[in-house]
Amino acid sequence: MDLANADCILIMGSNFAECHPVGFRFVLRARERGATIIHVDPRFTRTSACSSLYVPIRAGSDLAFLGALINFVLHSERWNTDPFFREYVLHYTNAATIIDEGFRDAAELEGVFSGWHAGAGHYDRQSWQYHGTEPRDETLQHPRCVFQLVKQHFAHYTPERIEQVCGVPRERFLAVAEAMLRNSGRERTTAIAYAVGWTQHTIGPQIISCAAVLQLLLGNIGRPGGGIQALRGHATIQGSTDIPTLYDLLPGYMHMPATFKSHERLRDYLDSEGSGTGLWADLPKFLVSLLRAWYGESATPENDFG
């Protein structure tokens, strides 16, 4: 954890001090170095008490808050005049890449992106693909380059809108935005730390992806004192599901077969544990791959792959 070297730390979705006290010592080290510590959370906790700035926020509105930070950065004078930021996004992101001309943003289609099939409940992502084989505009001016599409998408996330949606006063939001921008660049870095306050949302992946976009725009990914820190309660909570050492899971989060679920045959297991859509639609491939890795040539369709 490189938080001790950060010049600014934004903590959201976590009572860092109480839930992760060992890790929080790095935040305190950063504060001793003069770093700005910001805690955005509905509750005032020990983390808030140890922070330079506490920002109360309406529960469930984190995504809008991050969107407003992105909009602020993209329209700030510093981002548009400091060559570091443009150099970073050109070299380390797909900001200059041009997207297929069939792509339409949610603002154009009343809340959904192009390719949405309402009856099936999923997207056809063909229009989301890159245009051509080497589609880049390093001036970042092409209307369908990723940079301009991001700028367009977040344009309505204004401080005034955030005051209404998140309940965060305009001045408090601007203090956060300016602190993050001031502490990002060639010589300084800002880190973001989050925990299950984000991951347990139904839109958790979108929140974390939005944080990644923000950090990429600020040049804070892959640099000392930067990044996005996912806080967990144990030293190897992710590894315990991968090895695995949890009694109820096979590798890859697959449930352990159980007698009370009538998992007598492979088909019984797949029918009860699988899903027709999403990631778990591929459960048969995951499980058969695992069984073949375990049993090699002895795993055959005739014996349910062992």
Side-chain angles (χ1 to χ4, degrees):
M1 185 174 290
D2 199 32
L3 290 175
N5 291 315
D7 298 295
C8 178
I9 302 172
L10 173 65
I11 303 168
M12 296 185 69
S14 171
N15 180 3
F16 200 158
E18 292 189 9
C19 297
H20 311 279
V22 176
F24 195 68
R25 61 182 176 159
F26 296 104
V27 176
L28 297 179
R29 287 180 188 174
R31 190 184 67 175
E32 290 171 0
R33 291 178 42 253
T36 300
I37 313 300
I38 303 168
H39 188 217
V40 181
D41 198 90
R43 300 181 304 151
F44 186 94
T45 64
R46 292 181 183 179
T47 305
S48 316
C50 293
S51 298
S52 318
L53 176 62
Y54 167 63
V55 182
I57 188 174
R58 186 169 290 126
S61 63
D62 306 60
L63 185 58
F65 189 85
L66 292 170
L69 290 174
I70 290 174
N71 188 39
F72 176 89
V73 166
L74 290 174
H75 289 88
S76 67
E77 181 180 357
R78 175 148 189 262
W79 197 95
N80 287 282
T81 57
D82 187 335
F84 166 81
F85 298 113
R86 181 172 292 265
E87 290 172 9
Y88 186 94
V89 298
L90 283 176
H91 285 91
Y92 303 111
T93 78
N94 65 351
T97 308
I98 299 172
I99 302 301
D100 186 89
E101 60 185 12
F103 176 79
R104 294 293 181 272
D105 187 79
E108 302 176 68
L109 298 177
E110 299 182 349
V112 298
F113 295 92
S114 55
W116 174 247
H117 294 287
H122 67 80
Y123 279 103
D124 174 359
R125 301 184 182 182
Q126 186 59 40
S127 64
W128 302 10
Q129 307 306 311
Y130 295 162
H131 177 74
T133 55
E134 289 293 334
R136 284 178 63 82
D137 172 26
E138 298 202 356
T139 69
L140 302 180
Q141 297 304 308
H142 193 288
R144 290 200 321 279
C145 75
V146 171
F147 178 80
Q148 291 296 334
L149 291 175
V150 168
K151 196 171 185 179
Q152 171 189 331
H153 180 77
F154 290 103
H156 65 285
Y157 288 80
T158 62
E160 292 73 23
R161 184 76 173 271
I162 294 315
E163 195 164 31
Q164 297 174 358
V165 173
C166 303
V168 176
R170 184 177 186 276
E171 296 73 19
R172 192 73 61 93
F173 165 78
L174 290 175
V176 176
E178 289 165 357
M180 293 190 69
L181 187 57
R182 183 173 63 251
N183 288 288
S184 301
R186 200 174 301 277
E187 305 297 333
R188 304 180 73 79
T189 48
T190 289
I192 294 178
Y194 75 92
V196 293
W198 277 2
T199 58
Q200 299 304 311
H201 279 69
T202 56
I203 55 170
Q206 287 87 344
I207 298 174
I208 297 160
S209 296
C210 198
V213 171
L214 175 61
Q215 286 292 71
L216 286 169
L217 288 171
L218 291 171
N220 285 323
I221 297 294
R223 300 179 59 224
I228 302 175
Q229 313 292 336
L231 306 173
R232 295 295 176 264
H234 305 282
T236 181
I237 194 166
Q238 188 67 50
S240 67
T241 61
D242 297 334
I243 295 172
T245 55
L246 298 178
Y247 76 94
D248 60 331
L249 291 181
L250 297 170
Y253 292 94
M254 292 183 285
H255 289 145
M256 187 71 72
T259 55
F260 62 85
K261 289 186 178 181
S262 301
H263 290 161
E264 296 180 7
R265 304 282 299 179
L266 178 65
R267 176 47 54 192
D268 299 331
Y269 176 90
L270 296 176
D271 287 344
S272 66
E273 299 300 321
S275 171
T277 60
L279 181 69
W280 292 111
D282 286 325
L283 177 62
K285 298 177 184 178
F286 301 154
L287 185 58
V288 170
S289 176
L290 175 65
L291 293 170
R292 281 177 168 164
W294 279 348
Y295 302 123
E297 294 181 359
S298 299
T300 65
E302 291 73 25
N303 65 13
D304 276 356
F305 297 96

